[in-house]
Amino acid sequence: PLPPWRRYWRRPRACPETTSPEGHPPLQNRTVLITAGPTREALDPVRFLGNRSSGKMGYALAEAAAAMGAKVLLVSGPVQLPPPASVQLLPVVSTEEMYEAVLSHASQCDVIIAAAAPADFRPARVATQKLKKQGNESFHLELHPTPDIIASVAANKTPTQIIIGFAAETNDGLENARKKLAAKNLDAIVLN
């Protein structure tokens, strides 16, 4: 059975405030870039490191921004979701690809919302052949950090840009989110 709050909750089709006091959509003539979903870091031709992100948050934000009149660029990792109508989808797989896509469009955007869950690390080496189990021997994997997408964008933001990040935390949520907000020079952060 659904929890009580889910029984009556319905996802809105559009943001309730779809017009400004002047009568036009509030994000008309604005460009919003939103990242969504996970990234995959290849280990070999058949395996990768990834996470459980579904991309639903980023896709819902893209749909809402489009409903409010924005031109929306959705940079998405691999997900099982159809892109919202009237949104330009920029599909990527790895964190490096997401980094390049975001940085190549960031300067033209009024708002950047980083709702994706890009990998923080990638394998130091990607095997050209499938890695096979060797009996009961342990397997050691060396990882290198991936580029920090939102920190790079925020470091180069213009005075009129708004940069919003997300913090998915398992402990000390408020403290970690506040640190991320300050360290990465964000305008706002959403804590999950």
Side-chain angles (χ1 to χ4, degrees), residues 49-73:
L49 298 177
N51 61 56
R52 294 182 173 98
S53 174
S54 67
K56 289 179 182 178
M57 175 65 72
Y59 277 59
L61 289 168
E63 183 178 20
M68 293 170 65
K71 174 186 175 188
V72 180
L73 303 174

Side-chain angles (χ1 to χ4, degrees), residues 50-103:
N51 61 56
R52 294 182 173 98
S53 174
S54 67
K56 289 179 182 178
M57 175 65 72
Y59 277 59
L61 289 168
E63 183 178 20
M68 293 170 65
K71 174 186 175 188
V72 180
L73 303 174
L74 178 59
V75 181
S76 177
V79 297
Q80 301 297 314
L81 299 169
S86 71
V87 166
Q88 182 181 349
L89 178 66
L90 303 170
V92 298
V93 176
S94 70
T95 302
E96 185 66 36
E97 289 174 2
M98 185 174 281
Y99 175 82
E100 290 171 9
V102 170
L103 263 59

Side-chain angles (χ1 to χ4, degrees), residues 5 16 36 59 90 95 133 153 171:
W5 65 270
Y59 277 59
L90 303 170
T95 302
K133 190 188 299 187
V153 169
N171 63 296

